[in-house]
Amino acid sequence: MVENKRAVTLSDIVLNEGSSYLRGVRWVWIDLDDTLIDFRANSLAALRITYEQCSLERYFRSCDEWIECYMRHNHALWDRYNRAEITQGHLRLHRFLDPIRERTPIGEEEFAAEARHMDVLYLSILARQKCMVPGAMELVEYLRAHAYNIGILSNGFSDVQYRKLHTVGLDALVDTVVLSDDIGVNKPDPRIFIHAMERVGDVCPDSHLMIGDNPSTDIDGARGAGWRSVLFDRSAGRLSISQDGIITPSLREMIPLLSRGDNA
C-alpha cells in the first residue's frame, strides 16, 4: 500500500484532543514489524527466495501456494507463542515443518534438519530486506529531533530483530531496544512493559506511549501497564481519539499531534 505523501492536515479539535492525550509523554515505544518495518512485504520477498533456494516445488504446485500454506501455519503458531503456549524453538521448527507435512507424509525427525535450515535461511534473507512502512522514518526522525526518547518494544527474535534495525538504519536513531526474546516474556504480558520502564529508569506509566499495529499484544498490553497507546491501523478511515487511546491509519498523522504535546 502506497501512502499519499501530501501534507497531513488535521482539524484543530483533533489536534487539541490528541496533544492533550499525549501531554507528558517522554518515552515513545514503537513496535517493529508492520509498524516501522514493512514485515509483510519483506517476508513475502524472503519466502519467495526461500522457495526457490530450497526447491520447494517438490511439495507445492506454486510459490503462491507455498506462501499461503506457510502464512496460515505461521500465524497460528505466533498466536500460540504470544500466549506463551509454545516455545520459540517449536514455532521456528513447525512453521516450516507443518506446511510440508500437510502436503506429503513425512516424519518430523526425517524433515526436522531441513526445516531448521529453512528457518535460518529465511531469517537471514528477511534481515536484509529494506522495505519500511510509509512515514516510519519521518516519525522516528521527528521524535529524535524533538527530545523524545525512543524505544523499540518487540516480540520478535533477537537474532534477527537487531539485524533488521541495522539494515534500515534505525539502530542509530533509537535509544533502547527491549525484545521479549531477551527477557523471556512476551507482549501483552505487563511484565515486559514494567521491564521496559525499569530499564530506562522512568517507572511512571504516564511517561510512556506505545505505538503498534497489534490490538492485543501492543495496545491491550500497553493499557494493562498503564501506558498510553496508539493503534496503527492502515485500514482505519481516519485518525480518531478516545479515552482508550488513538487510532491512526498513518504514522505521519502522529507528527502534528506530537508537535503540540509537551514532553518536558
Side-chain angles (χ1 to χ4, degrees):
M1 173 178 168
V2 178
E3 182 181 300
N4 191 333
K5 289 192 174 182
R6 62 179 171 74
V8 174
T9 57
L10 300 173
S11 71
D12 286 341
I13 293 175
V14 170
L15 283 170
N16 290 334
E17 290 179 348
S19 60
S20 177
Y21 177 76
L22 297 172
R23 186 165 294 118
V25 166
R26 291 189 290 271
W27 275 92
V28 178
W29 297 87
I30 313 175
D31 176 56
L32 189 58
D33 289 325
D34 282 329
T35 302
L36 292 177
I37 291 177
D38 192 335
F39 174 80
R40 181 171 177 81
N42 292 339
S43 179
L44 285 172
L47 287 169
R48 292 187 184 281
I49 297 171
T50 301
Y51 177 85
E52 294 171 0
Q53 293 194 9
C54 294
S55 301
L56 295 181
E57 71 277 2
R58 292 173 290 163
Y59 309 110
F60 299 91
R61 290 172 294 183
S62 68
C63 184
D64 288 342
E65 182 181 79
W66 144 246
I67 290 173
E68 183 281 326
C69 192
Y70 169 88
M71 286 190 165
R72 177 161 40 82
H73 284 280
N74 188 54
H75 180 76
L77 287 163
W78 266 101
D79 279 348
R80 295 182 63 196
Y81 179 69
N82 286 332
R83 295 194 298 267
E85 295 176 359
I86 59 173
T87 65
Q88 178 190 143
H90 182 97
L91 187 160
R92 292 176 66 163
L93 171 65
H94 281 270
R95 63 180 177 174
F96 291 100
L97 177 64
D98 292 352
I100 304 299
R101 295 178 72 187
E102 184 179 301
R103 291 297 188 273
T104 185
I106 189 170
E108 178 171 333
E109 290 306 316
E110 183 180 354
F111 191 74
E114 186 170 354
R116 292 190 178 96
H117 167 73
M118 289 170 62
D119 174 68
V120 173
L121 175 65
Y122 163 74
L123 290 178
S124 177
I125 298 167
L126 179 65
R128 298 196 296 270
Q129 306 306 305
K130 296 184 176 183
C131 287
M132 294 188 68
V133 170
M137 190 60 78
E138 293 169 51
L139 173 61
V140 172
E141 289 176 343
Y142 176 85
L143 294 170
R144 179 78 287 145
H146 290 81
Y148 286 96
N149 299 298
I150 308 167
I152 298 296
L153 191 56
S154 168
N155 277 358
F157 306 142
S158 59
D159 60 345
V160 68
Q161 297 300 73
Y162 290 112
R163 283 186 284 165
K164 289 180 188 176
L165 287 166
H166 180 71
T167 294
V168 298
L170 285 172
D171 55 342
L173 296 174
V174 303
D175 295 291
T176 193
V177 178
V178 174
L179 302 178
S180 63
D181 197 16
D182 289 336
I183 65 172
V185 179
N186 292 339
K187 296 179 293 183
D189 191 313
R191 289 177 294 172
I192 191 171
F193 296 90
I194 294 169
H195 173 88
M197 289 190 288
E198 292 174 346
R199 165 86 71 85
V200 301
D202 188 341
V203 296
C204 176
D206 282 345
S207 300
H208 300 267
L209 171 72
M210 181 75 208
I211 302 175
D213 69 297
N214 191 305
S216 174
T217 57
D218 296 323
I219 306 308
D220 290 348
R223 290 175 185 166
W227 293 14
R228 283 170 272 191
S229 66
V230 175
L231 174 62
F232 172 50
D233 179 0
R234 287 193 257 192
S235 68
R238 58 182 176 82
L239 186 143
S240 62
I241 303 166
S242 71
Q243 291 182 342
D244 293 329
I246 296 172
I247 300 175
T248 182
S250 165
L251 294 177
R252 290 189 181 99
E253 289 192 334
M254 290 305 303
I255 294 174
L257 301 186
L258 289 160
S259 70
R260 290 196 176 192
D262 177 11
N263 62 324

